Amino acid sequence: MSAQGSGLEILSIAPTATIQDRGRVGLLRYGVTSSGAMDDHALAEGQALLGNGRDDAALEFAGAGGRFRAHGTLWLACSGAEMALRVNGTPQRWRQSFRLDGGDIVEIGAVHEGVYGYLHVKGGFQTEMVLGSRSTHQRAGLGHRPAAGQLLPVLPQPADMTPLGLPRSDHFDRRELRLLWGPQSDVFPRAERARLLTAEITVSPRRDRMGMRIELDSGPIHAERGLTIASDAINPGDIQVAGDGTPTVLLADRGSSGGYARIATLASADMAALAQIPAGGVFRFRLVSRDQAVEALARHRRALDSLASKATPVTRDPRDMDDLLSYNLISGVTDGDDLDLD
Amino acid sequence: MGVLVEFGDRYHPSINAAVLAFDAAFEGRRPAAVIETVPTFRSFLIRFDPLALPFDTLHQLLAEMLESRNWYDSGPPERRRKWVIPAVYGGIRGPDLAEVADLMGLREDQVIDGHAATSFTVAMLGFSPGLAYLGQLPEIWDFPRRTTLNPEVPAGAVLVAVRQTVLPSTPIPTGWRQIARTPFRSFNPRSDTPFLLQPGDQLRFEPVDEAAYAAYSAYDMDALLHEEGA
């Protein structure tokens, strides 16, 4: 089949689905926030599994995925929040690259753990590039909006590749997230700021790619000098406090500027961990210094960079194996019992 | 990581002029590890990669620049452009005109005349792509935003509150009141120049009728550029 006719046909898709890459950076001064994958670690996992470039685009889903049909041979991989994955009805490992032939059906069901899952294709989905990125920005009307019936274009696919697998990332377990004070922190009384650091915090169901409302077990936050200030630019991870005292962590699709005072900012290194905490999930903040936040970012980047070297072959064709019996067929990335997805 | 340089805590023409002058000066000395910068009404945000540019190095540059001169006596930006933007006031194009007239204790035609007689400065872009905050209307326009949110006003809505005019280029939810609508779009994602208005640009509105509105809708937006230079 020619490359022109190949691609991934969307048979059905969750309404939360978007196309995401690393985002549309550099346009904040024009009112355009970056978008980009909510979980940058998961995006990097997919690139590592398929040998993709850092800026290749994937499908992102929250909560559930969809059903898709291959047109021509495709090399795919799933990453991020683990969802029920089946190929032609047979359960398939998450975080592993695999091949589809023309007509094969891949189905991504309900999420098991976390929030945001990703479906990657070798070379990335070739949807429309707008202002330097393929990321969908729903609110701003930028980028491709995936919908049933579409054929998502892909680059010509290799006939053969070595399927790779990655272990589960521990950022799904993180329940202590690093926090820095910001320029407007002193709008809030000391006792209120302290409460942000001591409270048990629950993620509200009112969350999306723009922001996550969070609730302190000790109640809403109060400000001394009023909650509105003259608008200025908002960084990703800024935590604004609206009139009712509910804090919201502002994320990839936020408005670029706002007039609600911001009590603190989440460390960049912990954005992916926060994004993967489901509604009702509980966590705490820990105050760090600027140096500690920078060190955490350095570690986070090293972890992303090391994914390519951590991805290991998951299957071998027995015909290629001279000494099959010398392989340990049980150990490796498959635990043996984790294929029972349902 | 971001650093915010605050020139004031409110909108004021001299504070905004300081921000825009600082923005222009910083552009000339911008370290490579700066990801992007954002001038606003009253502040200047610098987003940078702290692994490639130590915070202390950037802080030192900013402190040196801040001390180098009095930024508050900056005039308008050198490169500003002047725009005349057609707008249909009232009716379906400005559904909140009557309410605004009530708030101001004026007749609708007086509101239109006052708005169209004002020379605006683009104070900042923000909130949504290409949305321009325009300063500044006379004191009598100092009424608050609504407490309830209108779930959507269209692109090109001319919105007013707190002595300011807001001009969105995409549909947005808002608490501001819509007195007019323009065919002008500051943001055109498929254009070679996707963002037309720049902070510091000057702008005034020209009341037009429906026929002129329809004619302008087919225009190249650049045709609305009135005059280059200050």
Side-chain angles (χ1 to χ4, degrees):
Chain A
M1 182 177 274
S2 75
Q4 208 166 23
S6 68
L8 187 71
E9 182 189 355
I10 304 175
L11 300 174
S12 67
I13 196 161
T16 55
T18 57
I19 296 281
Q20 296 298 336
D21 54 22
R22 293 202 300 165
R24 204 169 272 111
V25 177
L27 301 174
L28 198 58
R29 65 164 43 224
Y30 301 111
V32 183
T33 44
S34 63
S35 306
M38 291 289 277
D39 182 341
D40 60 352
H41 189 275
L43 186 69
E45 282 178 344
Q47 320 295 33
L49 289 169
L50 291 163
N52 281 354
R54 291 153 69 97
D55 291 314
D56 288 343
L59 270 169
E60 179 186 276
F61 316 99
R67 279 182 84 234
F68 308 88
R69 180 191 288 134
H71 287 233
T73 295
L74 298 177
W75 287 90
L76 303 176
C78 291
S79 71
E82 190 166 326
M83 298 173 175
L85 173 62
R86 288 173 181 274
V87 174
N88 297 328
T90 305
Q92 164 74 30
R93 282 289 314 271
W94 201 255
R95 276 182 301 277
Q96 179 174 306
S97 43
F98 58 96
R99 189 177 115 162
L100 292 188
D101 293 317
D104 285 351
I105 303 282
V106 59
E107 195 169 355
I108 300 174
V111 69
H112 294 312
E113 173 187 57
V115 178
Y116 290 98
Y118 297 83
L119 175 62
H120 310 257
V121 68
K122 174 69 180 169
F125 290 107
Q126 302 297 302
T127 53
E128 186 190 20
M129 179 91 78
V130 180
L131 301 172
S133 164
R134 293 191 164 87
S135 286
T136 313
H137 195 320
Q138 297 274 24
R139 189 164 169 273
L142 304 178
H144 183 78
R145 294 179 189 220
Q150 294 170 350
L151 184 68
L152 297 175
V154 300
L155 291 176
Q157 299 286 297
D160 202 18
M161 268 175 59
T162 304
L164 302 176
L166 277 167
R168 175 183 172 280
S169 165
D170 61 6
H171 73 282
F172 290 98
D173 305 325
R174 296 270 317 284
R175 290 297 181 267
E176 188 181 81
L177 304 181
R178 286 161 286 207
L179 192 78
L180 296 118
W181 297 133
Q184 293 151 16
S185 296
D186 62 3
V187 168
F188 299 87
R190 185 179 292 268
E192 293 299 284
R193 281 192 275 160
R195 242 162 23 80
L196 196 63
L197 301 177
T198 53
E200 186 177 83
I201 295 168
T202 304
V203 172
S204 155
R206 297 177 66 182
R207 59 92 64 85
D208 57 20
R209 289 183 45 85
M210 287 172 60
M212 286 171 69
R213 284 175 180 252
I214 54 175
E215 289 158 7
L216 280 59
D217 61 353
S218 51
I221 297 277
H222 300 286
E224 232 158 32
R225 294 196 264 127
L227 292 158
T228 56
I229 51 153
S231 279
D232 69 357
I234 299 173
N235 247 326
D238 279 2
I239 302 171
Q240 78 172 19
V241 180
D244 63 358
T246 308
T248 300
V249 190
L250 298 166
L251 304 172
D253 288 1
R254 71 196 183 282
S256 73
S257 59
Y260 286 120
R262 281 158 270 148
I263 190 168
T265 297
L266 186 72
S268 306
D270 289 345
M271 293 290 281
L274 176 77
Q276 294 290 12
I277 302 177
V282 170
F283 70 95
R284 287 178 187 278
F285 284 123
R286 179 165 64 88
L287 186 67
V288 294
S289 68
R290 194 167 54 230
D291 287 348
Q292 288 171 317
V294 171
E295 177 49 35
L297 182 63
R299 275 199 304 276
H300 178 71
R301 294 232 189 113
R302 283 198 296 271
L304 265 54
D305 290 342
S306 70
L307 285 169
S309 63
K310 283 187 181 150
T312 50
V314 287
T315 57
R316 290 191 172 100
D317 188 328
R319 285 169 302 186
D320 296 339
M321 299 180 186
D322 297 325
D323 52 349
L324 185 62
L325 293 177
S326 71
Y327 281 91
N328 180 342
L329 295 174
I330 294 171
S331 70
V333 294
T334 303
D335 298 337
D337 62 353
D338 58 358
L339 290 171
D340 302 320
L341 294 176
D342 296 8
Chain B
M1 182 166 275
V3 179
L4 190 70
V5 182
E6 295 186 285
F7 288 86
D9 62 359
R10 62 181 64 84
Y11 174 75
H12 186 277
S14 74
I15 293 172
N16 192 227
V19 171
L20 298 181
F22 194 82
D23 176 31
F26 185 80
E27 205 51 38
R29 304 185 61 174
R30 178 177 169 146
V34 168
I35 298 162
E36 59 186 331
T37 56
V38 190
T40 72
F41 290 127
R42 62 178 190 89
S43 65
F44 184 63
L45 175 71
I46 300 121
R47 297 189 63 232
F48 68 104
D49 180 353
L51 303 185
L53 174 64
F55 173 82
D56 290 340
T57 308
L58 178 59
H59 188 267
Q60 195 179 343
L61 170 64
L62 294 171
E64 189 188 301
M65 284 182 62
L66 285 169
E67 282 162 21
S68 69
R69 51 165 285 201
N70 177 9
W71 295 93
Y72 296 96
D73 63 11
S74 304
E78 280 170 27
R79 291 175 304 168
R80 72 176 167 163
R81 303 196 290 178
K82 294 185 177 182
W83 301 84
V84 178
I85 307 291
V88 179
Y89 286 85
I92 56 161
R93 304 296 188 189
D96 304 326
L97 178 63
E99 193 183 331
V100 167
D102 274 352
L103 283 167
M104 296 173 66
L106 297 175
R107 294 192 315 270
E108 290 184 21
D109 62 305
Q110 293 173 313
V111 173
I112 296 169
D113 288 349
H115 195 261
T118 305
S119 176
F120 293 97
T121 300
V122 177
M124 69 178 272
L125 305 173
F127 185 72
S128 71
L131 180 145
Y133 289 85
L134 310 175
Q136 186 177 38
L137 286 156
E139 290 277 359
I140 50 165
W141 293 80
D142 198 6
F143 50 83
R145 283 159 278 195
R146 286 200 182 108
T147 51
T148 55
L149 212 59
N150 180 347
E152 186 173 302
V153 294
V158 178
L159 307 169
V160 291
V162 295
R163 296 185 65 188
Q164 287 169 20
T165 296
V166 165
L167 190 55
S169 279
T170 60
I172 57 159
T174 191
W176 297 54
R177 291 176 176 88
Q178 183 182 350
I179 60 167
R181 191 174 177 202
T182 172
F184 176 75
R185 302 288 178 272
S186 176
F187 173 55
N188 301 284
R190 276 159 198 83
S191 162
D192 291 341
T193 50
F195 303 96
L196 294 182
L197 295 177
Q198 300 286 336
D201 280 3
Q202 287 220 296
L203 186 154
R204 66 179 177 80
F205 291 93
E206 182 171 68
V208 298
D209 61 16
E210 276 295 329
Y213 181 98
Y216 274 117
S217 295
Y219 258 53
D220 178 357
M221 295 301 165
D222 280 322
L224 301 175
L225 179 61
H226 191 62
E227 185 187 327
E228 287 277 357

